[in-house]
Amino acid sequence: MVIIPSGSVYIGSYEEEIGRKRGERNRIKATISSPFAMAKTEVTLRQFRVFMEETKYKSNVPIRNGEPLIGCNYYDGKSYGYIAEHNWENPGYPQREDAPVVCVSWSDAKAYADWLSKKTGRNYRVPSTVEFEYASRAGSSAPWFWGTNPEKACEYANIGDRTFGDKYPQRPTFPCDDGYVYTSSVGKFKSNPFGLYDMVGNAWEWTNDCFHIDLSNAPVDGTSLEDNTNNECIWRTPKGGSWISGVAWGRAAVRSRDGADYKSFMLGFRVAATVEKK
């Protein structure tokens, strides 16, 4: 875990930002009043395996149009679709034990954080959207914590690069080469100034926020955007992009929308925690 200091930074994006997607948060100042802790890396396959073996956890099966979605969503170079045989142990491509676990839902991520809290006595959680972007930016208001140059991305991130483009030539890519088609071991690239790795790329990461189109009244203090007091909502908000993401989908401001029980071959998570006051 890394201590993320309190402070302020501009999150979201300007209309003219490179690759800006519709639905991104308009540029606004976020202020974190108290330090918090965040994992240096995404939760790995090895770490998630310990959780699964100890708890015998059974993941929720999402329902679409009245039918269960068995397995995990996958892209074959032409289209996306659920593959019944795919799961966190087999996302459809070779996985290293120290690579980020994928094919896990927001519900799975929350269950892992709850288990880790009970196991350690420390209160772990899925980070909020603002916490994630604040930590990713590490004081920068540019599209990436390293600045504005997409050609430098491969120093800091496993993203949709030329290596990836050789296999999937129809996909947009960054103008650089990181050497990986799929996920890499966590912490393989340079960290951001807060000492966090893979805050852009490798795997999309779940955040705790309910997804809302309108963010005009969304909190900017690090708390999660909820639908009600029980924080029950259908959609959650992944952040950070992945190994498949080109410039438009691999920036600090970008956000996605996925069902709380949705599973994808490019979607994982990391944990955050409250810093105990002494």
Side-chain angles (χ1 to χ4, degrees):
M1 303 294 285
V2 173
I3 302 298
I4 308 302
S6 59
S8 298
V9 73
Y10 280 91
I11 62 173
S13 58
Y14 292 117
E15 297 247 344
E16 64 273 17
E17 181 169 305
I18 183 172
R20 189 178 199 266
K21 306 294 290 184
R22 201 172 113 198
E24 285 180 21
R25 186 192 295 264
N26 292 327
R27 187 57 58 97
I28 190 170
K29 188 176 184 179
T31 298
I32 304 294
S33 59
S34 299
F36 65 98
M38 183 168 278
K40 287 183 180 181
T41 69
E42 297 140 325
V43 171
T44 66
L45 178 60
R46 180 183 295 114
Q47 291 168 331
F48 194 78
R49 189 186 305 282
V50 173
F51 158 69
M52 293 295 285
E53 290 176 350
E54 286 193 10
T55 64
K56 312 303 180 189
Y57 171 79
K58 300 295 183 184
S59 182
N60 295 335
V61 176
I63 303 297
R64 180 179 295 171
N65 299 324
E67 296 294 327
L69 289 174
I70 306 296
C72 181
N73 201 27
Y74 184 75
Y75 175 70
D76 63 6
K78 297 179 181 179
S79 60
Y80 288 91
Y82 260 69
I83 305 294
E85 294 77 20
H86 289 183
N87 54 46
W88 63 273
E89 292 183 290
N90 171 29
Y93 53 86
Q95 272 283 70
R96 303 164 184 84
E97 286 291 308
D98 61 355
V101 67
V102 293
C103 286
V104 289
S105 66
W106 172 87
S107 301
D108 298 341
K110 184 179 183 302
Y112 179 94
D114 290 345
W115 164 79
L116 192 60
S117 298
K118 292 177 183 177
K119 190 175 179 67
T120 63
R122 186 179 191 183
N123 186 22
Y124 288 93
R125 64 180 185 275
V126 179
S128 73
T129 296
V130 172
E131 285 178 326
F132 188 92
E133 187 169 339
Y134 177 90
S136 175
R137 290 183 174 282
S140 171
S141 292
W144 303 280
F145 61 80
W146 62 82
T148 59
N149 187 356
E151 294 182 8
K152 292 179 69 67
C154 293
E155 295 180 34
Y156 299 94
N158 174 16
I159 35 70
D161 67 319
R162 289 173 182 147
T163 303
F164 165 81
D166 288 342
K167 185 173 179 62
Y168 299 106
Q170 71 280 21
R171 302 285 304 192
T173 59
F174 279 81
C176 62
D177 194 336
D178 63 35
Y180 292 93
V181 176
Y182 302 110
T183 54
S184 65
S185 301
V186 299
K188 202 75 172 169
F189 298 84
K190 293 179 182 177
S191 72
N192 75 1
F194 284 163
L196 299 171
Y197 296 88
D198 305 312
M199 294 298 287
V200 174
N202 218 7
W204 278 93
E205 299 183 37
W206 288 106
T207 69
N208 194 53
D209 289 44
C210 300
F211 185 91
H212 287 257
I213 294 293
D214 182 8
L215 294 175
S216 57
N217 294 315
V220 289
D221 61 355
T223 55
S224 298
L225 177 59
E226 301 179 1
D227 274 350
N228 54 43
T229 55
N230 294 321
N231 198 16
E232 295 174 355
C233 56
I234 297 173
W235 303 99
R236 298 282 170 171
T237 310
K239 293 277 289 178
S242 76
W243 53 268
I244 202 172
S245 301
V247 172
W249 286 107
R251 295 173 294 108
V254 76
R255 65 180 185 141
S256 187
R257 182 188 77 159
D258 289 304
D261 293 322
Y262 169 80
K263 302 177 184 71
S264 168
F265 74 145
M266 56 180 162
L267 180 51
F269 70 102
R270 77 179 70 208
V271 294
T274 301
V275 174
E276 301 298 333
K277 295 180 179 180
K278 297 182 179 178

